[in-house]
Every structure is written in C-alpha cells, then in structure tokens.
Amino acid sequence: ALLKSAVNNLLTTFNNYQGGDVKVHFVTFATQAGAESTFTITNAADFAAAKAFINALVANGNTNYEDALQNAVSWLQSTGTGGPIAGGDTYTYFVSDGEPNTYVSGTNHAVSGSAGTVMNEIQGIGENTTTDNDGTLNEVGALKALSTQVIAVGIGVSTTTLGRLDVIDSNGDALDVRNPNDLSSALQG
C-alpha cells in the first residue's frame, strides 16, 4: 500500500511537469516479470490509467531481478510511439523489497537460485551452455547504458541485499528505505 502511494505521488509530480512530455513504463516482477504498461503521464487520460494500473497491483511470489531487467532493457531499446521519448532523459527506478532468488534460464523465466547466482546472471557471468547463453547477457550494464541514471531502491532490505542493489544503481549507492513512509520522499529525491 505504501509503495502504491509513493509511486502515485511520483506520478503526480510527473503529471505536473510543464517542460514537455513525461513517459513512464512499468515492469512489475515477482517470480517472473509480470504486467507491463506504458503511459504518457502528462496526458490526463494516461495519468489516470497509470494510477489505476499501480492501484491494481498485488504483491506475491519470489524475486526475479533478471526477468524484470530483461524486459526493461527491451523497452528501452524499442522505438516508435510505444518506446521511450527520442532524445529525452531516461531515469530508471529499480525498486525491490526482496532478496533475489529467481532468474531466467533459456525459455524458463523462473528458475530458483541463490542470490549469488542471480547476481552473476544479471551481470553476465552466469551459465553459458550450448543450449542457453542468457546468463552471459549483462542486463545491468545494458540498463545503465540505456539510462541517464538508474536509481535502485530497497524497501526494508538487509544490508546484504542493499549491497546487491548497489550493483544495479548507477552511482553504486542504492537507497535504503527503512521506514516505508519515507519511500515517497526517496523516489521524489
């Protein structure tokens, strides 16, 4: 509920922006990447639809960083009206309250594994077999290359998990939100 509130507050800030369009693409994830949708938040109808999308989310499942990162990278690489705004700045927020414990292997988008295995997978140092080389794809590097900045945010995570989120963050210093009520301020900042 607090994550929804914080994201809705951020969407309101984006909606009030007067310097041009703001487009937001959501990639939800749990055991694997879930619902995705893109909205031009500076458009009233899209703003309302984005808030409805966020308010309909339900938390469940494991924590699959890799599947979500792959989907985010695919969207950032896309072109046309459904893709990012050409020439615009791109800020990526990666928000998680869980320890990474699931990754992608071949066509299976939900393989259980240790946090260390997941972190190797998302940095391109995972499995590499004759039938599956997705573990050699560096999703973190691709996300950083396609984003003006990547902001990683942990919600009540352990110090160890925060260190893992540091790997995803552009500055190597993920935000740790201990008091969920502070999440809105963290995202705004």
Side-chain angles (χ1 to χ4, degrees), residues 16-97:
N16 292 330
Y17 180 67
Q18 298 297 311
D21 287 334
V22 176
K23 189 179 277 190
V24 176
H25 181 77
F26 293 104
V27 176
T28 64
F29 65 98
T31 302
Q32 62 189 51
E36 288 187 55
S37 202
T38 305
F39 305 95
T40 301
I41 300 303
T42 44
N43 170 291
D46 270 15
F47 174 59
K51 291 180 86 163
F53 177 84
I54 291 300
N55 291 331
L57 294 176
V58 177
N60 62 30
N62 291 332
T63 305
N64 189 335
Y65 286 5
E66 187 175 30
D67 206 20
L69 289 171
Q70 286 180 355
N71 288 16
V73 166
S74 290
W75 183 78
L76 288 167
Q77 291 173 330
S78 66
T79 59
T81 58
I85 297 172
D89 288 337
T90 303
Y91 292 88
T92 301
Y93 293 86
F94 186 89
V95 182
S96 180
D97 64 354

Side-chain angles (χ1 to χ4, degrees), residues 106-188:
T107 58
N108 189 343
H109 289 260
V111 177
S112 294
S114 70
T117 298
V118 174
M119 295 309 294
N120 285 343
E121 288 282 319
I122 67 173
Q123 295 176 82
I125 51 178
E127 88 269 14
N128 183 13
T129 67
T130 56
T131 60
D132 173 19
N133 69 350
D134 68 29
T136 61
L137 300 174
N138 184 345
E139 290 91 359
V140 171
L143 187 69
K144 288 178 180 179
L146 294 165
S147 302
T148 304
Q149 185 173 8
V150 179
I151 300 102
V153 181
I155 304 172
V157 297
S158 70
T159 303
T160 303
T161 300
L162 186 63
R164 292 184 175 108
L165 290 170
D166 286 346
V167 170
I168 297 169
D169 189 89
S170 289
N171 299 327
D173 191 21
L175 301 171
D176 182 24
V177 179
R178 287 278 157 205
N179 180 346
N181 293 314
D182 294 337
L183 181 58
S184 186
S185 296
L187 292 179
Q188 295 286 337

